[in-house]
Amino acid sequence: MAAFSREPGRGRVAILAGAGNLPTHVARAIRSAGEDPFIIALSAEADGDWTSFQHERIGTGDFAAVERIVRVNGIDRLILSGSVKRRPEWREIRPTWKTLARMPGVVRTLLRGGDDQVLRMVIALIEGAGARVIGAHEVAPDLVATLGTLTSIEPDAASKRDIVAGREAALALGLLDVGQAAVAIGGRVIALEGVEGTDEMLARVADLRRRGRLSTSRKGVLVKFCKPGQDERADLPTIGAGTVRGLIEAGLAGVAVEAGRSLLLEREAAISAANEAGIFIAGVTRED
């Protein structure tokens, strides 16, 4: 995949930043390619340090502010990056004139829709404001998880069976637009990701392990896959050094993510920590 490069004559690129390290990685990739991204930081979510970037903080549901920033700063491309833990209440939504006519549908989706439904709605609203939404993987291809085992530790036969079981569960869960991840131990699915996210799911598994609810002789695997039909411009499955720490606490043998459609943050640190702990990181496909 080619690295992101500045396109002559184009407008400015912006990042709508939520929580976590991903927005920072994406911003640095854009800057290293010769562009200066504008950061639209969600005030209740974004936890990065944006003092070295031109930025503005806005409320999570402030669509009017997004439209204004896009217009005033000549932004023609926008990247959704980082996690959003809490959806805005309907009272927090600040619509534009264009969204007013769609308000019943917007509120209904925010309150009742699955994550992918919400992201598709947000993408449509942003593109209606005049900025094309692009994926984080398009500007930071070095973050994309590649096919094969990335660590010196290889999954054994038991782990391969767990990868198959976890993959089937993750894809079934994705059809419900609930989560992207599952944990399988001994070929049996023992945890599914909900709105709490991967880290808290791993913490649940660690607690089950401490309480003797899980076998001590079988380790198990975390599996993360894109939801079937997911718009890849937002919310690609992501792991990093923090995930490795969660795997260690949960006593798991490793993690398998969808190759080419998942992101690996802090690659060197994550792989080094996994090798030291005897844990594997693998990129797999839906057909493996």
Side-chain angles (χ1 to χ4, degrees), residues 269-282:
I271 292 174
S272 175
N275 283 332
E276 185 176 341
I279 287 172
F280 69 83
I281 301 173

Side-chain angles (χ1 to χ4, degrees), residues 62-229:
D62 197 345
F63 298 113
V66 173
E67 185 178 75
R68 171 181 53 77
I69 292 169
V70 165
R71 183 182 68 255
V72 170
N73 294 278
I75 291 164
D76 65 357
R77 290 153 296 150
L78 188 144
I79 300 155
L80 303 175
S81 182
S83 62
V84 176
K85 296 180 180 178
R86 187 185 72 84
R87 297 185 187 184
E89 300 290 340
W90 69 268
R91 298 178 185 86
E92 299 173 282
I93 299 173
R94 302 290 183 268
T96 66
W97 287 109
K98 292 178 182 178
T99 57
L100 276 175
R102 302 169 62 180
M103 278 301 289
V106 170
V107 172
R108 184 166 55 250
T109 301
L110 284 173
L111 295 178
R112 303 176 186 174
D115 289 344
D116 202 45
Q117 280 183 292
V118 171
L119 287 170
R120 287 178 186 276
M121 179 201 69
V122 170
I123 288 172
L125 292 173
I126 290 171
E127 295 198 326
R132 180 170 60 92
V133 175
I134 60 177
H137 58 291
E138 296 180 59
V139 299
D142 290 345
L143 298 180
V144 178
T146 53
L147 182 63
T149 305
L150 307 178
T151 51
S152 60
I153 312 299
E154 294 276 352
D156 59 16
S159 291
K160 290 178 180 177
R161 287 193 293 272
D162 287 337
I163 290 172
V164 172
R167 178 184 60 200
E168 292 176 356
L171 291 173
L173 184 67
L175 284 172
L176 299 174
D177 196 6
V178 176
Q180 300 171 319
V183 173
I185 298 177
R188 179 170 69 99
V189 175
I190 60 93
L192 297 172
E193 180 188 43
V195 295
E196 81 278 18
T198 304
D199 290 345
E200 291 191 32
M201 179 184 66
L202 289 176
R204 259 196 296 131
V205 175
D207 182 60
L208 289 170
R209 189 86 74 177
R210 283 191 294 270
R211 291 192 286 121
R213 297 291 303 275
L214 300 176
S215 169
T216 57
S217 62
R218 295 174 175 175
K219 290 191 172 182
V221 175
L222 166 68
V223 182
K224 295 194 74 169
F225 266 71
C226 260
K227 298 173 184 175

Side-chain angles (χ1 to χ4, degrees), residues 2-17:
F4 176 74
S5 61
R6 186 174 185 176
E7 300 176 45
R10 295 301 303 270
R12 197 170 181 184
V13 63
I15 299 172
L16 186 62

Side-chain angles (χ1 to χ4, degrees), residues 3-5 25-37 53 139:
F4 176 74
S5 61
H25 285 281
V26 174
R28 289 172 179 167
I30 294 171
R31 180 168 277 179
S32 66
E35 290 208 50
D36 188 24
F53 293 86
V139 299

